[in-house]
Amino acid sequence: MPELVISDADFLRFRDHFYRKTGIHFEPGKRYYVDKRLQERMKALGYESFRDYFNHLRFDRDQELQALTNLMTVNETYFFREVYQLHCLVNSLMDEVAARKQPGERIRIWSMPCSSGEEPYSIAMMLLEEWANLSNWDVEILASDIDTAALDKARQGRYEQRAVHSVPTHYLQRYFTPDFNAGRKQYQLKDDIRDSVGFTRVNLNLPAEVRQMGRMDIIFCRNLLIYFDELSRRQAAERLYEVLRPGGFICLGHSESMSRISPLFRARKFPDALVYQK
């Protein structure tokens, strides 16, 4: 097969299409990264011209878009990343949310994008170990991502050493089972933790999919909005605001600031972290 050429016009055409579908905006500096993944899909499907592949992408009823999205999204993460926010969750946020609830009401936490599951499972372990009032409340942890391959891995709950390097030793012993696969040491999450998180695919760029998640008390949306442009970030903030219950909280990544995105939230400084409140 001859070299698959993607012109400047092709790149811009694809970039605009992908942006409309996902809200993810690729700067010119990402050109090499994008071209390589487009070429990978073109080769896999046997297309020799970008035009033919792009027509397939547009009219394939989203199956090809999903396959390409799985390639384009970055899923590098690990357990207990930015752990100070998890301390804020158990030391401050959960008690404040519970104080607004009636006995028997459910507390709902949403992790998105959840990638391969490290974040929502970290939340579950932290609540079990550190929140003294957990037994008094029905807590539901939901997790979503646009990448279906990442969600499949999250449901399996099997991780390499690099993913668990920040897990406290007693957590590792209590919630994981060591396993050797092809000579590599891996860690399998035990079923009780895997069963504590519900995973589903959600595209934050589609309001109907966001609304289907229902009302939330706490949202972890870390290191996603940095991939959006200004308009998409503002629209995403509005959608998250809509599903948060009054007084609900949203946690962003350390390099993200809701104050620069939307006036809908107010910053709250807790001893462990800065978060944003509806």
Side-chain angles (χ1 to χ4, degrees):
M1 180 179 288
E3 182 181 357
L4 302 175
V5 177
I6 298 172
S7 69
D8 292 346
D10 293 337
F11 170 74
L12 293 175
R13 192 179 182 194
F14 165 75
R15 185 181 71 172
D16 292 345
H17 177 76
F18 197 73
Y19 171 75
R20 288 193 300 271
K21 292 292 186 179
T22 68
I24 297 173
H25 177 71
F26 291 116
E27 298 290 344
K30 291 284 188 180
R31 173 70 187 274
Y32 179 80
Y33 173 90
V34 171
D35 282 6
K36 285 297 184 183
R37 279 145 186 81
L38 286 172
Q39 290 165 345
E40 183 176 336
R41 288 305 301 163
M42 289 167 67
K43 288 178 182 178
L45 297 174
Y47 286 105
E48 297 185 13
S49 78
F50 175 81
R51 179 179 178 179
D52 291 341
Y53 170 74
F54 189 67
N55 285 334
H56 173 78
L57 176 65
R58 290 171 59 207
F59 300 114
D60 192 43
R61 296 187 179 181
D62 291 338
Q63 292 183 15
E64 177 57 20
L65 178 66
Q66 184 63 64
L68 190 59
T69 299
N70 291 357
L71 276 180
M72 291 288 183
T73 50
V74 178
N75 292 302
E76 276 297 320
T77 187
Y78 53 88
F79 284 90
F80 294 93
R81 186 179 184 180
E82 299 180 14
V83 69
Y84 58 88
Q85 287 188 339
L86 300 182
H87 289 305
C88 184
L89 174 72
V90 297
N91 293 333
S92 302
L93 303 187
M94 292 299 292
D95 285 336
E96 188 164 322
V97 168
R100 294 193 297 268
K101 297 281 187 180
Q102 297 297 321
E105 274 193 272
R106 180 174 294 176
I107 297 175
R108 305 185 80 225
I109 303 172
W110 183 13
S111 164
M112 60 83 60
C114 67
S115 186
S116 43
E118 288 90 335
E119 179 177 273
Y121 288 137
S122 295
I123 291 170
M125 287 184 278
M126 200 74 172
L127 289 172
L128 283 166
E129 293 290 327
E130 302 291 342
W131 192 45
N133 290 322
L134 182 62
S135 60
N136 299 323
W137 295 95
D138 179 10
V139 178
E140 181 180 18
I141 303 173
L142 300 171
S144 70
D145 203 283
I146 197 173
D147 184 339
T148 54
L151 289 171
D152 288 341
K153 182 178 179 181
R155 294 184 184 101
Q156 292 168 8
R158 180 179 289 269
Y159 298 95
E160 302 289 343
Q161 177 69 47
R162 66 179 181 273
V164 302
H165 73 271
S166 294
V167 178
T169 301
H170 61 291
Y171 284 29
L172 202 60
Q173 295 171 346
R174 186 169 301 171
Y175 299 111
F176 294 84
T177 302
D179 191 18
F180 286 88
N181 183 27
R184 294 199 321 272
K185 189 175 185 180
Q186 296 182 318
Y187 294 85
Q188 177 66 56
L189 263 176
K190 294 182 179 179
D191 288 347
D192 56 346
I193 286 293
R194 290 171 57 205
D195 293 343
S196 70
V197 179
F199 292 95
T200 187
R201 181 193 177 278
V202 174
N203 182 347
L204 186 55
N205 201 47
L206 299 178
E209 292 191 6
V210 177
R211 285 193 291 268
Q212 286 176 359
M213 295 296 291
R215 303 284 272 174
M216 299 291 166
D217 295 293
I218 300 170
I219 297 176
F220 283 79
C221 182
R222 305 194 291 186
N223 306 308
L224 171 65
L225 300 182
I226 56 175
Y227 296 103
F228 290 3
D229 68 356
E230 184 177 350
L231 174 61
S232 294
R233 282 195 289 267
R234 187 170 67 251
Q235 291 173 335
E238 291 169 356
R239 291 174 192 132
L240 296 176
Y241 180 88
E242 182 182 351
V243 298
L244 266 179
R245 291 191 174 110
F249 297 101
I250 182 166
C251 300
L252 300 182
H254 72 276
S255 64
E256 299 168 311
S257 171
M258 185 63 79
S259 302
R260 294 196 295 264
I261 298 172
S262 170
L264 293 173
F265 300 84
R266 66 174 176 132
R268 288 282 307 277
K269 185 71 171 74
F270 290 98
D272 296 297
L274 175 72
V275 302
Y276 299 91
Q277 186 174 26
K278 178 172 178 175

